[in-house]
Amino acid sequence: MWSKKFKYQRVRLLVQAGAFLVILLNPLVIYYSKCSFVQGWYQSLAIGKLWFVSPLEGLESILVSKTVYFPLVIGLLPPVILALFLGRVFCGWICPINFLSSLVDRVFKRQGAKDQVVLPLWLIWFSLIGELMFSMIIGAPLFVFLSPPGLVGREIMMVVFFHTLALEGIIIVVVLALNLVTKRFFCRYLCPLGALLALLGVRRRLIVKLEAEKCKGCRRCGAVCPLGLAPQRGQAQGPYCWNCGTCIDVCPHQALTFFWRSGGENTSLHRGQNDTPPQGE
Amino acid sequence: MKRSNQEHINPKLFSARPLDKGRRTFILGLLGWAFSSTAAQAKGFWGSPVKTNHLRPPGAVSEEIFAARCIRCGRCAEACSYRSIKILDIRSGIFAGTPLIEVEKTPCFLCMKCGEVCPTGTLRPLKPEEVRMGVAVINTRQCVTWRAVALCRTCYNVCPFKEKAIHLDRLRPVVDEKFCTGCGICVHGCPVSPKAINVEPL
C-alpha cells in the first residue's frame, strides 16, 4: 500500500492543510501584526489587491440586490474560470469543511465505512435552485451567512478579533456530524456552492478518465469515493466529481488517470457517461 | 314585504349565516394571532440593527439593501485599523455577519480602509469629509455646557471637522448637519452619562 508510487492524496492533504492554515493564521497575523496584506477567508479572499469572491455569494449579492458592482464581477472571475476548467476542485482541494470532514473520518475511523443514507445525487441541483429562489423571495441572501465553509472562517476570525463565537457555528458541527451517517452528506446533497461549481464545471477540461480496457471491475474506486460516485462506470467524468483523485490512488490497475481533454473532445463526456460497465458490474 | 324578501334569499344560505360569521371571526382571529405573533418574532429577525450610536461603517449603501448586498466576508472588520467594526451574529437575523460600529465603545476614525477592501460595493471608498454615517445630535438638557453647569467642550475638541461640523456658539457646542460625518468620536468623548451627544442614523 505504501509504495513509492505517487499519491495524489498526499499532495491533496498538504494543499487542504495549507488552505486551512491560511484562514487559521490569517486573522492572527492581522490582529497581532496589523498587516492586512492577506484578508478574509473563502467567502472573499484578498491577496494584496487581487480579490477572490466565492461564486455563489457573489451571485446572491447580484441577484438579491439587483445591482452589479464591477469590482465584484472581477473578483468572481478567478474562481469561476477555475471551476470552468477544473470543475469542483475547490470542494476537493481547498474547502475547509471537506478538510475538517476528513479529520472527522480519521478520528472516528470512518474512512472505509459504508454510507447509511444514500440519496440521489441530483438533489444538489434542487438545493441550489431552492436556495437562490428562497433568497430572492425573501429579499435576503441566506448562503452568505449560513454557508459552512464561510462560517469556519468567520468563527476563527470572531475568536481572534472579538474573543467570542457566533451562534450559527452550530451549523458546522451539524454538517461535520452528518459525516457519521454518510460521508460528505452535506457536500453531496445539500451544498448549493458545490452545485454551482458543478454546474460551471459540466464541460470542464480536467477529468478523471476511465480506461475501460484496463479496468478489472474490482470497484475499489467506488468504495473510497467521498461522493459515493462509481468511477468504474465513468461517473467521475460527470458533473458531480470534484477531481480529488482518491479513486486514482486506489486503482490497482491504473485504469483511472487525470486527463486534460482539449476543446474538440467535448463529446467524450457523453461517451464516458454512457460507457457500458466493464466486467464485474 | 318580509315574506317576499325571504323568498328571494336562499333559505339554506340564510340559516347558515350566523354559523358562517362565527367561523369567519374564528379564522380571522386565528390568522391575526398567527400574523401578530410571527410579526413580533420577525422584528428581531428582519429588523435592522442600526439605531442611535449603532451605525454602519462609512460609505455604506442604504440600509434597505445592505443585507442583500453584503456577502459577510468580514474583510472590513479585518481591515479596520481601530477595531471599530464589529461583526453581528445570528441574533440579528438576516443581518448576521454584517458589520456594525458601536460609536459609544469605539467610534470610527475615518481611516477609510473598509471601503477600499469591500468586494461588493456595500461600503464605498469615500473621502473622509464625504462620509455620512449619521448625524450628531446634542441633547441640550443633558449637556453640562448648555445647562450652564460647567464649561465643557470635549465634543468640539475631538471633532475631526472642528469649526465645520461642531462650532461654538457663545461657548456652547452646535452641530452643523451639513458637515457632520456621524463618525461618533464626539459621542465617545462626551464625559456626561448618559451621553449628551448621540449620533442618529440617517
Side-chain angles (χ1 to χ4, degrees):
Chain A
M1 198 69 189
W2 288 97
S3 62
K4 277 176 190 163
K5 201 185 125 193
F6 175 77
K7 295 257 186 223
Y8 284 109
Q9 292 323 292
R10 289 178 208 162
V11 182
R12 192 168 70 103
L13 198 67
L14 278 179
V15 174
Q16 280 183 315
F20 189 73
L21 271 183
V22 167
I23 60 167
L24 186 66
L25 296 181
N26 203 25
L28 291 165
V29 169
I30 295 173
Y31 191 75
Y32 291 109
S33 77
K34 303 231 164 171
C35 162
S36 54
F37 183 73
V38 182
Q39 290 164 1
W41 51 83
Y42 299 113
Q43 279 182 297
S44 175
L45 190 77
I47 302 168
K49 295 279 174 194
L50 174 66
W51 294 356
F52 302 97
V53 179
S54 167
L56 186 59
E57 273 89 337
L59 184 67
E60 273 194 330
S61 174
I62 291 170
L63 288 181
V64 177
S65 72
K66 302 182 183 74
T67 47
V68 179
Y69 182 65
F70 205 64
L72 173 67
V73 179
I74 306 259
L76 285 172
L77 277 180
V80 166
I81 291 170
L82 189 76
L84 282 175
F85 280 89
L86 304 181
R88 284 174 81 177
V89 280
F90 171 79
C91 303
W93 292 69
I94 298 171
C95 181
I97 285 292
N98 187 21
F99 177 66
L100 294 175
S101 295
S102 62
L103 292 188
V104 169
D105 285 350
R106 263 156 223 258
V107 168
F108 290 92
K109 300 204 166 46
R110 281 193 51 90
Q111 280 140 309
K114 230 172 171 291
D115 301 327
Q116 281 155 42
V117 178
V118 178
L119 303 169
L121 284 163
W122 44 256
L123 276 178
I124 201 169
W125 306 120
F126 288 91
S127 166
L128 174 65
I129 295 165
E131 197 276 328
L132 283 178
M133 292 289 282
F134 191 61
S135 291
M136 289 186 77
I137 287 168
I138 67 168
L142 294 174
F143 195 71
V144 290
F145 62 93
L146 298 176
S147 100
L151 273 175
V152 175
R154 187 169 323 128
E155 293 287 7
I156 295 170
M157 185 272 242
M158 290 287 257
V159 168
V160 174
F161 276 63
F162 310 119
H163 315 298
T164 177
L165 277 169
L167 279 172
E168 59 266 40
I170 196 82
I171 293 172
I172 302 170
V173 180
V174 172
V175 165
L176 291 181
L178 278 175
N179 275 302
L180 302 178
V181 178
T182 296
K183 256 188 286 171
R184 311 293 180 276
F185 185 89
F186 179 80
C187 311
R188 277 188 206 184
Y189 308 122
L190 296 174
C191 185
L193 176 61
L196 185 67
L197 295 175
L199 190 67
L200 289 169
V202 163
R203 300 216 162 271
R204 66 182 180 276
R205 294 295 171 86
L206 185 70
I207 52 163
V208 176
K209 195 187 180 189
L210 171 75
E211 288 170 55
E213 62 273 18
K214 283 191 190 169
C215 177
K216 302 278 187 290
C218 66
R219 292 201 236 172
R220 276 182 217 183
C221 48
V224 295
C225 178
L227 290 176
L229 298 175
Q232 76 271 16
R233 276 185 271 143
Q235 259 187 4
Q237 295 164 36
Y240 304 112
C241 172
W242 59 23
N243 279 342
C244 65
T246 315
C247 53
I248 298 174
D249 286 348
V250 297
C251 183
H253 314 293
Q254 283 85 46
L256 295 161
T257 43
F258 273 132
F259 179 72
W260 188 268
R261 60 181 170 198
S262 48
E265 281 178 89
N266 265 343
T267 44
S268 71
L269 173 77
H270 304 293
R271 224 185 296 142
Q273 274 179 335
N274 298 331
D275 257 351
T276 45
Q279 56 270 60
E281 258 300 321
Chain B
M1 280 298 277
K2 209 179 175 186
R3 224 182 141 185
S4 66
N5 247 351
Q6 274 183 345
E7 271 169 12
H8 281 293
I9 297 164
N10 184 348
K12 237 185 198 170
L13 208 122
F14 191 71
S15 68
R17 212 180 236 173
L19 200 145
D20 243 4
K21 205 175 175 183
R23 194 187 290 161
R24 196 186 301 142
T25 35
F26 174 72
I27 290 171
L28 278 179
L30 203 69
L31 276 175
W33 171 78
F35 185 77
S36 60
S37 63
T38 45
Q41 285 172 346
K43 207 184 168 190
F45 195 77
W46 302 99
S48 164
V50 172
K51 57 184 185 202
T52 306
N53 294 341
H54 292 63
L55 309 162
R56 291 298 181 196
V61 294
S62 85
E63 191 58 22
E64 286 113 61
I65 62 160
F66 196 97
R69 207 144 173 192
C70 172
I71 61 163
R72 278 76 158 172
C73 66
R75 278 170 54 196
C76 48
E78 290 189 335
C80 183
S81 317
Y82 300 92
R83 307 280 166 256
S84 310
I85 299 179
K86 303 277 183 300
I87 297 292
L88 299 170
D89 70 4
I90 196 70
R91 283 170 293 178
S92 307
I94 59 163
F95 291 91
T98 55
L100 197 75
I101 298 182
E102 294 175 26
V103 293
E104 224 171 302
K105 288 178 190 155
T106 322
C108 172
F109 292 95
L110 300 171
C111 71
M112 307 315 295
K113 292 255 175 69
C114 49
E116 279 170 34
V117 300
C118 180
T120 57
T122 313
L123 308 176
R124 298 276 177 89
L126 292 178
K127 286 182 192 147
E129 60 268 24
E130 294 169 345
V131 172
R132 293 293 178 272
M133 293 162 64
V135 64
V137 177
I138 296 172
N139 183 346
T140 50
R141 293 186 179 185
Q142 195 68 38
C143 175
V144 286
T145 312
W146 274 88
R147 280 165 54 206
V149 176
L151 198 60
C152 169
R153 53 177 203 185
T154 312
C155 52
Y156 170 79
N157 284 339
V158 296
C159 181
F161 299 100
K162 208 186 296 188
E163 283 302 329
K164 275 176 166 175
I166 299 183
H167 64 271
L168 296 179
D169 173 26
R170 280 167 291 169
L171 298 176
R172 293 177 304 193
V174 177
V175 176
D176 188 344
E177 291 178 13
K178 222 163 52 183
F179 296 104
C180 178
T181 58
C183 65
I185 300 176
C186 51
V187 182
H188 183 66
C190 181
V192 183
S193 175
K195 300 284 183 187
I197 188 164
N198 293 290
V199 177
E200 299 294 339
L202 293 173

